[in-house]
């Protein structure tokens, strides 16, 4: 085995041979000489180990000393470079920025002579100026964001106080209003200039009216495109009341149930993923056939054609299609969806169930565990709960709220859509009907 004998771990081959020769010459001698030989070799080994330890300690000490010296030289050079750059008028935060401090000029240990300083100064000042530009840009963005946040709060306060319907608010918050010239004139002022949004607030009612009007005009245009007659879509003379009527039968292209979105409340709560450069209700389309069916429902129920969707929801009537078998008891929204998709070859029409039948139907709906619509929201959950099917109500009350044995578990929930239609045969022969 070979190695560095001074480290006390290995012996050179020649050392091994020498020790072997010594052992050969002494192994047959007296025990005293053998013991003396072993002790001598142990003493030599300890000396080797001690010498190695001293050398390693010295080596480590030299390394540490060298590193400390290099660090002190770099620190002295860094301090002098900082002082010289700041003496030229540069901001302390720019001089001490990461891009400047991490450059090669701060990693050298060479003494900073005038010749070296004059050589590196132009490059250093370029780095410092870049850091300054980045700092000013960050400060500018922070100022603009702060001003935009103030503007957004002011606009939100106005929308709240003016009681503007959520349906007629911008799809991307208030970004479009903040981007208007009157607001940007304030927001883009220099950082050191105090700002006042009063002039922008004076123009805000007009801006809000334009946004609301644009959304409503888009909905009216969709009604015209879908075949609605006698509608004006002029920004100056348009009447937006038709949007609130039950006959304004819009359908969302992304909703799987296919129920109509009719009335202000439905438009307020409808949320599809907004897409830049598209209208708020880009997902909606108007169906005139469905709207005609609503008129037939009005006639069957003896209601005025100006009945709103909200009034229809409050009445909560049940209708059935005389052209279908078996007869499904449908809410007015389900009836409209049915009329949109179904075409009957023979005579067809809509008939209204009697009040007694409607009461019976609603009892059946309450206990219809086959209703697969996620239409229930829990009144007891502190945080908004997801939708529940009818079959899930008892389990939710038992597991989440420790409530068991309610005769009517639906009483602990509010509904967000009509129930799924159920099969029912009318018992009242006097049920009113109108042909479509």
């Amino acid at each position: 085995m070979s190695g560095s004998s001074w480290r006390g771990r290995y012996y050179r081959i020649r050392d091994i041979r020498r020790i072997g020769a010594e052992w050969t010459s002494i192994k047959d001698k007296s025990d005293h000489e053998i013991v003396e030989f072993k002790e001598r070799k142990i003493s030599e080994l300890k000396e080797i180990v001690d010498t190695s330890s001293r050398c390693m300690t010295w080596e480590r000490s030299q390394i540490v000393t060298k590193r400390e010296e290099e660090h002190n030289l770099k620190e002295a050079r860094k301090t002098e470079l900082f002082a010289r750059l700041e003496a030229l008028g540069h901001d302390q935060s720019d001089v001490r920025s990461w891009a400047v401090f991490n450059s090669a000029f701060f990693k050298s240990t060479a003494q900073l002579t005038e010749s070296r300083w004059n050589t590196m100064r132009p490059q250093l000042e370029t780095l410092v100026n870049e850091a300054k530009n980045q700092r000013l840009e960050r400060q500018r963005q922070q100022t603009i964001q702060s001003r935009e946040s103030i503007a957004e709060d002011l606009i939100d306060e106005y929308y709240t106080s003016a009681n503007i319907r959520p349906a007629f608010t911008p799809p991307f918050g208030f970004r479009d209003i903040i981007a208007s010239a009157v607001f940007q004139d304030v927001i883009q002022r220099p950082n050191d200039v105090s700002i006042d949004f009063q002039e922008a607030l004076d123009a805000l009612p007009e801006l809000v009216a334009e946004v609301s009007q644009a959304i409503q005009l888009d909905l009216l245009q969709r009604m015209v495109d879908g075949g609605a007659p006698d509608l004006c879509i002029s920004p100056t003379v348009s009447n937006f009341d038709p949007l609130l009527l039950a006959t304004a039968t819009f359908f969302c292209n992304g909703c799987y149930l296919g129920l109509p979105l009719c009335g202000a409340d439905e438009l307020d709560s409808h949320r599809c993923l907004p897409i830049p450069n598209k209208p708020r209700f880009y997902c909606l389309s108007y169906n005139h056939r469905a709207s005609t069916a609503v008129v037939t429902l009005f006639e069957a129920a003896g209601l005025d054609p100006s009945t709103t969707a909200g009034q229809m929801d409050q009445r909560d009537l049940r209708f059935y299609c005389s052209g279908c078998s078996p007869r499904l008891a449908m809410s007015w929204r389900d009836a409209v969806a049915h009329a949109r998709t179904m075409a009957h070859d023979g005579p067809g029409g809509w008939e209204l169930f009697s009040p007694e039948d409607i009461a019976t139907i609603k009892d059946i709906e309450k206990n219809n565990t086959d209703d697969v619509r996620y239409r229930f929201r829990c009144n007891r959950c502190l945080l908004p709960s997801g939708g529940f099917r009818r079959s899930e109500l008892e389990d939710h009350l038992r597991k989440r709220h420790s409530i068991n044995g309610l005769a009517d578990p639906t009483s602990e929930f509010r509904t967000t859509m009509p129930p799924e239609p159920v099969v029912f045969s009318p018992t009242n022969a006097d049920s009113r009907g109108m042909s479509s």
Side-chain angles (χ1 to χ4, degrees), residues 255-302:
C255 293
Y256 72 96
L257 284 177
L259 296 177
L261 290 165
C262 305
D265 291 338
E266 287 284 322
L267 293 174
D268 286 347
S269 61
H270 185 66
R271 293 291 182 272
C272 270
L273 181 67
I275 298 179
N277 303 320
K278 283 199 174 186
R280 170 163 191 159
F281 294 111
Y282 71 92
C283 58
L284 299 186
S285 59
Y286 170 81
N287 187 278
H288 186 58
R289 180 178 176 179
S291 180
T292 303
V294 174
V295 175
T296 306
L297 296 178
F298 288 167
E299 295 172 352

Side-chain angles (χ1 to χ4, degrees), residues 48-188:
I48 291 172
V49 172
D50 292 343
T51 302
S52 173
S53 178
R54 287 194 301 271
C55 290
M56 293 177 68
T57 302
W58 176 86
E59 184 179 28
R60 285 193 295 268
S61 175
Q62 290 296 106
I63 292 173
V64 171
T65 301
K66 185 177 180 180
R67 287 178 179 173
E68 289 178 350
E69 291 175 352
E70 290 179 354
H71 175 74
N72 293 334
L73 290 173
K74 288 181 180 179
E75 285 295 310
R77 181 186 173 96
K78 179 182 74 172
T79 302
E80 187 172 355
L81 283 174
F82 283 162
R84 292 196 180 212
L85 289 171
E86 290 170 12
L88 295 174
H90 295 293
D91 189 88
Q92 186 182 66
S93 61
D94 301 329
V95 171
R96 286 166 166 74
S97 67
W98 183 88
V100 176
F101 173 69
N102 201 49
S103 64
F105 303 110
F106 287 85
K107 296 180 179 179
S108 174
T109 58
Q111 185 179 0
L112 188 61
T113 63
E114 287 300 321
S115 175
R116 287 174 178 156
W117 164 247
N118 292 331
T119 300
M120 68 176 66
R121 173 180 167 179
Q123 300 176 64
L124 269 174
E125 287 199 280
T126 299
L127 291 174
V128 173
N129 288 329
E130 289 177 356
K132 177 183 178 180
N133 292 335
Q134 293 174 3
R135 173 176 60 82
L136 293 177
E137 179 63 24
R138 287 194 302 270
Q139 291 177 352
R140 182 61 178 164
Q141 291 301 319
Q142 291 170 358
T143 299
I144 290 177
Q145 289 174 5
S146 174
R147 292 174 177 177
E148 287 179 343
S149 178
I150 295 173
E152 185 173 1
D153 290 340
L154 293 172
I155 296 170
D156 182 61
E157 183 180 344
Y158 175 81
Y159 265 88
T160 302
S161 62
N163 198 27
I164 297 173
R165 300 206 70 98
F168 304 138
T169 59
F172 287 93
F174 306 124
R175 188 176 66 183
D176 292 340
I177 296 178
I178 293 174
S180 64
V182 66
F183 273 92
Q184 287 299 309
D185 179 63
V186 179
I187 292 172
Q188 296 298 333

Side-chain angles (χ1 to χ4, degrees), residues 31 53 67 83 85 87 93 125 160 177 180 192 208 252 316 319 344 396 411 434:
D31 292 342
S53 178
R67 287 178 179 173
L85 289 171
S93 61
E125 287 199 280
T160 302
I177 296 178
S180 64
D192 55 351
V208 170
C252 177
D316 200 20
F319 302 85
H344 299 288
H396 175 77
S411 62
M434 292 293 295

Side-chain angles (χ1 to χ4, degrees), residues 236-248:
T236 56
V237 298
S238 288
N239 178 15
F240 300 120
D241 291 341
L243 296 175
L244 306 180
L245 300 180
T247 51

